[in-house]
Amino acid sequence: MVLARPEVAEAPAGNAGPRGRSPSRGKAFPRGAAARAALLALPVAFFALFFAFPVASIVGRGLRAGDSWHLGRIAEVVGRPDILGVLWFTLWQALASTGLTLLIALPGAYVLARLDFPGKDLLRAVVTVPFVLPTVVVGTAFLALLGRGGLLDALWGVRLDATVWAILLAHVFFNYAVVVRTVGGLWAQLDPRQEEAARVLGAGRFTAWRRVTLPALAPAVAAAALMVFLFTFTSFGVVQILGGPAYTTLEVEIYRQTAQVLDLPTAAVLTLVQFAAVGAILAVHARTVRRRETALRLVDPSHTAHRPRGAAQRALLGSVLATVGLLIAAPLAVLVERSFGGPGGYGLVFYRALQSAEASGGTFLVPPLEAVWNSLRYALAATAIALLVGSLAAAALALPRSASGKASTAGRVVRGFDALLMLPLGVSAVTVGFGFLITLDEPPLELRTSWILVPLAQALVGVPFVVRTMLPVLRAVDARLREAAAVLGASPLRVWREVDLPLVRRALLVAAGFAFAVSLGEFGATVFIARPDNPTLPVAVARLLGRPGELNYGQAMALSTILMLVCAAALLLLDRLRPDRSAGEF
Amino acid sequence: MSTTKKIAVTALSALLGASTLAACGGGSGDGSAGADGGGSRTVTLVAHDSFNASPEVLEEFTEETGHTVRVLKSGDAVEALNKEILTKGSPQGDVFFGVDNTTLSRALGNDLFTPYEAEGLERVPEAVRLDPGRHRVTPVDSGDICVNYDRKYFADRDLAPPQTLDDLAEPAYRNLLVVENPERSSPGLGFLLGTAAAYGDDGWQDYWKKLRANGVKVVDSWEIAYNQEFSGSAGGRAAKGDRPLVVSYASSPPVEVLYAEPRPKTAPTGVSTGTCFRQIEAAGLLAGARNEAGGRALLDFLISKRFQEDMPLNMFVNPVAEDAELPPLFAEFGEVVAEPRTMAPEKIAENRDQWIQSWSSLVLR
């Protein structure tokens, strides 16, 4: 999402020009390379230890027999009709989900970018909440909406559970924010006068939009589409909960082959297939981002939005509000409603039950409410790790590139690492989790049963968001400021503290906030890691849902509601903190 | 030259930094998560997510033996077992709980356990000892997978709830039953095995054809079947479930009572006692365990009267020790299954995968 968005800020920053024009160009390369290597050491070590090594080990376990590799298995597995069926379904549902998400969310992007109305900030936060909610909660909420007795059923007698429509709509629910934030963020900064100029010159309203605005938005739309495609291509929880036995994606199949069937060769091949697909998506994504025009005239978003004018704009605003209400607010509202429900009418029974271990009937050794504390603790640790690793990586990637021929090699390595940092978003959580199990089993890295494993896994997902948020801001820092400071005798650390830090502090806060929200809702990796009994919120919800009894079900709804509120609060706070020039960024 | 060296030194120190960070984490977690050195008094029990025990009972174990129990929940039963197979020889803990008659052969075939004859095993009847003579696993509990019914639904319609597997294929119960996919869910697998035990290696397929013709619905997990589709459970009522018959456990009705507020006089659900398949769960001392003494003491404890009596209300299963008494709640609201179906673990091992495959092509496609 985001992932692409901040790159846009590169253009308006304008003062990115001096990079590569360092006065000490000749000597800059070795010095820059050493600095870059020093900065990259920790991120590289982190990814090698906690991502590449575990994933490679578990895949290797599947593809090696004795001392030799059995790569023939790849063709063998991929040729199986059932696997081909899974691949085909994974592909077309991702394409369909992406198309549907764009169709439904683009009007939303426009409305949030260009129209001004009361409650806009709240609306922006509401549409983003699903993105950080765990799928187990969303699946339950969605069943309540689309399933039997749900809102659709009550109004029109339509039931969509266990159909592919449930999956597609849930994907829209999850990824609406990706489009709204990525496209809307740019849209808000496009100068409306360009379109107006075209109209003055005689173009019709639609022609002006098609010839002026659309081309400017196209790269952002492509970037958003690719991110939605990535997320839906690797969809796990939604498909597991809403799909029923008939629908299986690659990610679900990897889980099944690894955790349930223990057919590691098949799982390894599928992991490689997914790896290749995700790699390709990220490569196209990186190109799209690079191709983004720098010639766009971007303006302060606060000047582009206006009150809705005319019937058409009011109708558009109305329909967007209705869509958001039905698709996003309604499932969340059902969740809240059920958390207050009870045998004797509405009340706080379930919330009160969360405070005692006894009421949970031994589901946990501690009151379920303690899961809130666990989640916060884990999320704080994960945020600290993601910030440390992500900022170092961003700082390295933002170092001035020297202009010599060698630089292009260095540039490629850097870009390669940049893409590598995003891979965890597309690699199956069960692969990472099971990789941890077989690799981190010896001191000093005997971490399999340590609590630190949860934040480490969550940080893997948080780092890409930190890098994407920090990178454009760091690149925009005028290199001449640093040079001036250095010339005046400041040490590198002092330069960082006096020049860079004040400029990036806000971006750092935003990155921290987002890493925090993502960690809070992270479910996939956390659920595959064995842990002493201190569950996170999403895990606690899943466990409560796994037991019979009204009180357990109600407590699951109540905990979900709490999680939702914490996420929404974090997001609202983020919107207040975001850097002025880049509305819509996380 | 110096640049390369600098890079190497930086990389190395960063690596060390990362591992120090990690090591710090390992040491300073929740109080019990200390490093498992040789002289450790912590015994780690790896279990599936449904494992639960009262804190007081675990404290008693510590008082008696000096070992503190750390429970490590490792996913559902199959997933947890598969993780142990993956990490064979370098186990995450000392004792594994959660192997049952449907998965036993996989565990034994992989030599996961060190044989140990638990103290007090004589109080456990021969019938539930899964590995007689060799004692690689110790039976801990048993539970029956049975069709549950929604009492109100059948009372409202003056219809007798089904009692046997044959009943389920009757037209009177058309479109009423929801079952779990045996490929993905252990009650689903138990129910399939029950039908295979009842109708034989060939007959069960015909039975499932009849069930299919009678409108059986298949979902992926117990959670969805019970909490979303089943009209008799609290969750299902909230979700307006419309299937009054579900594959669950014989102990589910007492649970519906325990977690209702206020507690009803009768359980809202009942058990079709002629549909049951018996599952026996066991624990074993993991080969390569770091705290073998603690592990053995823990196995003894798992079949002690104290633990066995604590278990029913925590895991909703039946104790295996003959001297353990069932809590009143079970006696009052639960149903005793006189003749559940069973199947030898070897037979399950031999046929499981093939049966599941035939089942899928028969019922899902």
Side-chain angles (χ1 to χ4, degrees):
Chain A
M1 45 187 352
V2 218
L3 309 172
R5 231 338 253 123
E7 296 285 348
V8 176
E10 233 178 310
N15 45 8
R19 77 181 130 101
R21 268 200 278 123
S22 153
S24 51
R25 186 187 289 180
K27 284 180 290 174
F29 175 57
R31 215 162 30 121
R36 203 195 301 280
L39 287 170
L40 275 180
L42 180 71
V44 167
F46 176 79
F47 271 82
L49 272 180
F50 300 117
F51 181 68
F53 180 42
V55 170
S57 298
I58 190 87
V59 171
R61 192 67 96 87
L63 290 180
R64 281 175 75 96
D67 282 334
S68 55
W69 290 89
H70 285 254
L71 299 178
R73 280 176 184 163
I74 297 179
E76 208 175 287
V77 171
V78 172
R80 269 165 48 188
D82 58 327
I83 298 294
L84 280 176
V86 169
L87 286 175
W88 170 238
F89 175 72
T90 307
L91 190 65
W92 84 253
Q93 67 80 23
L95 282 172
S97 298
T98 308
L100 197 65
T101 306
L102 285 179
L103 195 72
I104 295 179
L106 279 177
Y110 170 81
V111 163
L112 278 170
R114 283 290 159 90
L115 298 185
D116 229 346
F117 51 92
K120 192 169 152 181
D121 282 350
L122 186 68
L123 186 70
R124 204 200 305 271
V126 165
V127 301
T128 316
V129 165
F131 189 75
V132 289
L133 279 187
T135 45
V136 50
V137 173
V138 172
T140 310
F142 239 71
L143 269 181
L145 178 75
L146 300 174
R148 161 192 342 96
L151 205 61
L152 286 187
D153 192 10
L155 288 178
W156 300 294
V158 178
R159 278 180 53 186
L160 298 173
D161 48 330
T163 67
V164 75
W165 283 104
I167 297 174
L168 297 184
L169 288 175
H171 282 161
V172 175
F173 173 84
F174 260 119
N175 296 310
Y176 192 91
V178 178
V179 177
V180 165
R181 299 231 166 197
T182 310
V183 181
L186 179 62
W187 211 331
Q189 295 180 81
L190 287 183
D191 193 339
R193 280 169 304 188
Q194 290 180 328
E195 200 178 313
E196 280 155 21
R199 295 199 58 203
V200 168
L201 293 171
R205 185 185 283 272
F206 180 68
T207 313
W209 184 81
R210 192 171 57 87
R211 302 290 285 271
V212 177
T213 308
L214 189 61
L217 284 180
V221 175
L226 280 163
M227 282 332 285
V228 175
F229 186 80
L230 174 69
F231 292 137
T232 53
F233 188 81
T234 57
S235 184
F236 175 70
V238 164
V239 177
Q240 252 216 336
I241 295 171
L242 295 176
Y247 301 109
T248 305
T249 54
L250 200 48
E251 182 101 0
V252 173
E253 191 64 17
I254 292 173
Y255 162 72
R256 215 173 62 79
Q257 297 292 350
T258 311
Q260 298 292 321
V261 187
L262 204 64
D263 181 350
L264 291 186
T266 303
V269 172
L270 295 180
T271 302
L272 288 181
V273 170
Q274 179 153 331
F275 219 79
V278 168
I281 298 168
L282 289 178
V284 177
H285 183 261
R287 283 189 51 170
T288 322
V289 168
R290 266 207 308 285
R291 268 217 326 266
R292 256 190 219 166
E293 292 78 330
T294 43
L296 293 178
R297 262 189 79 189
L298 297 182
V299 296
D300 189 329
S302 58
H303 300 316
T304 62
H306 55 79
R307 293 252 155 203
R309 286 188 290 251
Q313 285 189 352
R314 270 194 288 272
L316 187 67
L317 176 60
S319 69
V320 164
L321 288 176
T323 314
V324 170
L326 197 67
L327 251 176
I328 295 174
L332 301 179
V334 169
L335 213 69
V336 177
E337 192 254 349
R338 289 197 180 165
S339 76
F340 288 109
Y346 292 107
L348 290 170
V349 183
F350 301 139
Y351 288 89
R352 271 199 297 272
L354 288 177
Q355 296 163 25
S356 81
E358 258 133 72
S360 81
T363 306
F364 309 106
L365 297 178
V366 294
L369 209 54
E370 207 145 290
V372 176
W373 169 234
N374 286 333
S375 268
L376 292 176
R377 221 169 39 143
Y378 283 139
L380 276 177
T383 306
I385 298 171
L387 269 189
L388 181 66
V389 173
S391 323
L392 284 174
L397 296 174
L399 278 186
R401 293 173 203 145
S402 36
S404 69
K406 288 177 195 164
S408 66
T409 321
R412 264 202 297 280
V413 171
V414 165
R415 277 207 301 276
F417 188 68
D418 192 3
L420 199 70
L421 286 174
M422 286 174 70
L423 267 182
L425 289 179
V427 171
S428 134
V430 66
T431 305
V432 178
F434 276 61
F436 278 178
L437 267 187
I438 63 167
T439 50
L440 305 180
D441 66 334
E442 274 168 46
L445 287 173
E446 161 61 42
L447 302 175
R448 290 177 303 175
T449 60
S450 157
W451 71 278
I452 193 78
L453 207 53
V454 174
L456 281 173
Q458 292 175 346
L460 276 178
V461 188
V463 167
F465 293 97
V466 175
V467 173
R468 295 286 120 194
T469 312
M470 300 285 295
L471 192 53
V473 182
L474 282 174
R475 279 192 178 144
V477 173
D478 195 331
R480 283 169 300 190
L481 280 176
R482 294 197 192 104
E483 279 155 14
V487 166
L488 292 173
S491 67
L493 194 69
R494 180 106 193 261
V495 172
W496 158 252
R497 209 181 61 216
E498 304 283 341
V499 177
D500 291 79
L501 190 61
L503 291 168
V504 300
R505 189 182 292 136
R506 241 178 164 181
L508 204 64
L509 278 174
V510 172
F514 202 73
F516 185 75
V518 170
S519 308
L520 213 54
E522 207 284 329
F523 179 66
T526 316
V527 83
F528 294 120
I529 298 171
R531 60 267 143 193
D533 201 21
N534 38 10
T536 63
L537 269 173
V539 171
V541 170
R543 277 204 214 152
L544 282 166
L545 283 176
R547 321 197 85 203
E550 186 168 19
L551 214 50
N552 286 324
Y553 184 83
Q555 287 185 83
M557 297 298 123
L559 266 190
S560 301
T561 304
I562 291 175
L563 176 60
M564 200 169 77
L565 289 177
V566 174
C567 286
L571 289 167
L572 271 175
L573 209 65
L574 281 190
D575 272 347
R576 303 236 167 276
L577 280 175
R578 69 172 184 260
D580 298 332
R581 295 238 30 178
S582 44
E585 269 178 41
F586 285 108
Chain B
M1 270 299 117
S2 73
T3 311
T4 330
K5 202 171 162 191
K6 218 189 281 175
I7 295 172
V9 169
T10 327
L12 195 69
S13 51
L15 242 158
L16 284 176
S19 39
T20 317
L21 173 81
C24 289
S28 68
D30 49 307
S32 60
D36 286 326
S40 162
R41 302 293 271 170
T42 297
V43 55
T44 303
L45 175 68
V46 185
H48 54 62
D49 284 346
S50 312
F51 176 88
N52 285 301
S54 304
E56 314 87 78
V57 171
L58 295 180
E59 272 159 34
E60 259 179 53
F61 172 76
T62 306
E63 276 162 31
E64 279 168 25
T65 66
H67 297 277
T68 310
V69 184
R70 180 164 66 130
V71 179
L72 211 60
K73 297 193 179 183
S74 191
D76 68 41
V78 176
E79 185 183 322
L81 175 64
N82 285 344
K83 282 183 185 166
E84 287 316 305
I85 294 174
L86 260 185
T87 55
K88 194 174 92 178
S90 169
Q92 302 186 78
D94 306 300
V95 171
F96 178 75
F97 168 79
V99 58
D100 66 16
N101 38 341
T102 65
T103 53
L104 183 71
S105 57
R106 190 182 274 184
L108 297 186
N110 278 288
D111 292 325
L112 275 191
F113 301 119
T114 307
Y116 170 65
E117 185 173 354
E119 250 172 65
L121 195 65
E122 68 283 348
R123 295 177 295 115
V124 176
E126 300 272 351
V128 294
R129 296 197 198 165
L130 287 174
D131 189 33
R134 299 186 63 180
H135 305 299
R136 286 168 294 184
V137 294
T138 305
V140 176
D141 67 77
S142 77
D144 295 313
I145 293 164
C146 311
V147 168
N148 282 21
Y149 57 84
D150 174 359
R151 281 187 200 278
K152 185 171 181 303
Y153 178 94
F154 290 100
D156 286 352
R157 282 161 189 75
D158 240 352
L159 179 67
Q163 283 307 325
T164 64
L165 288 177
D166 279 338
D167 288 352
L168 296 174
E170 293 293 325
Y173 307 109
R174 177 178 293 274
N175 296 336
L176 300 188
L177 174 66
V178 56
V179 304
E180 298 88 0
N181 184 351
E183 199 177 36
R184 303 189 182 187
S185 135
S186 61
L189 177 61
F191 186 65
L192 171 64
L193 293 174
T195 63
Y199 298 102
D201 296 3
D202 306 314
W204 70 266
Q205 302 207 13
D206 287 330
Y207 176 71
W208 275 95
K209 278 181 203 155
K210 281 188 223 158
L211 275 191
R212 190 183 173 173
N214 210 28
V216 66
K217 178 169 187 173
V218 182
V219 296
D220 258 3
S221 67
W222 176 87
E223 285 81 355
I224 294 175
Y226 193 84
N227 281 329
Q228 303 280 352
E229 301 286 340
F230 180 46
S231 60
S233 69
R237 278 198 301 279
K240 302 195 175 60
D242 64 359
R243 296 256 160 178
L245 297 172
V246 67
V247 170
S248 188
Y249 294 91
S251 53
S252 301
V255 187
E256 287 293 334
V257 175
L258 182 62
Y259 292 115
E261 250 194 40
R263 280 192 191 179
K265 295 244 172 354
T266 53
T269 58
V271 171
S272 306
T273 49
T275 61
C276 301
F277 178 80
R278 178 150 293 177
Q279 213 176 5
I280 299 158
E281 272 193 304
L285 183 63
L286 284 163
R290 290 179 200 175
N291 184 358
E292 277 213 14
R296 280 189 224 108
L298 186 57
L299 282 175
D300 297 343
F301 184 69
L302 289 180
I303 55 170
S304 71
K305 187 167 189 283
R306 184 74 180 88
F307 183 85
Q308 290 274 310
E309 290 189 339
D310 178 60
M311 208 169 48
L313 286 183
N314 278 305
M315 293 194 263
F316 308 104
V317 288
N318 296 311
V320 290
E322 281 163 337
D323 56 346
E325 275 172 46
L326 272 178
L329 186 81
F330 264 55
E332 194 180 340
F333 298 103
E335 259 170 285
V336 180
V337 180
E339 287 177 350
R341 294 185 181 84
T342 55
M343 196 180 279
E346 304 79 43
K347 178 156 187 184
I348 298 174
E350 222 169 277
N351 295 295
R352 182 185 50 216
D353 294 347
Q354 198 248 314
W355 281 347
I356 290 177
Q357 228 169 29
S358 317
W359 181 92
S360 293
S361 52
L362 201 70
V363 181
L364 291 184
R365 308 222 154 76

